[in-house]
Amino acid sequence: MPGITREEVAHLARLARLELTDEELEHFAGQLDDIIGAVARVSDVADEDVPPTSHPLPLTNVMRPDVVRPGLTPEQALSGAPAQEQQRFKVPQILGEE
């Protein structure tokens, strides 16, 4: 497989709106070529009997079951509020809207 060229790196840099020096272009071309080679080697190792995965170990969510419990009444929730209106917290107007 041919390596990634300096011109391809420059094109990618333009798309990403990155300004790279000539030395950086050469450096990144080599690094990207190494990365592409490593990915190609992994693809060669993968066999049809190995299922594709996003993680090497299975993931499980640890969640407790939902249980309905009594909550605060509006009066209890608003009892410490400095100001309230229509069972809501009243705060100072900041955007000049009604």
Side-chain angles (χ1 to χ4, degrees):
M1 174 198 307
I4 189 164
T5 66
R6 182 185 176 285
E7 290 73 29
E8 290 170 318
V9 175
H11 177 69
L12 291 172
R14 276 192 302 280
L15 292 175
R17 295 191 171 126
L18 298 173
E19 189 174 325
L20 301 177
T21 65
D22 289 336
E23 295 80 25
E24 289 172 324
L25 290 172
E26 291 296 330
H27 179 73
F28 292 140
Q31 285 186 336
L32 287 172
D33 194 43
D34 290 343
I35 292 169
I36 291 170
V39 170
R41 283 193 303 278
V42 169
S43 297
D44 291 342
V45 172
D47 200 354
E48 286 138 18
D49 63 338
V50 178
T53 59
S54 63
H55 294 85
L57 302 173
L59 297 176
T60 56
N61 287 332
V62 181
M63 296 186 190
R64 67 174 188 265
D66 288 337
V67 178
V68 178
R69 296 185 209 170
L72 297 175
T73 65
E75 293 77 24
Q76 291 170 324
L78 295 168
S79 65
Q84 55 179 298
E85 184 177 289
Q86 299 176 352
Q87 291 191 339
R88 298 184 182 122
F89 294 99
K90 186 174 181 180
V91 296
Q93 182 176 345
I94 59 169
L95 299 177
E97 298 174 353
E98 287 293 321

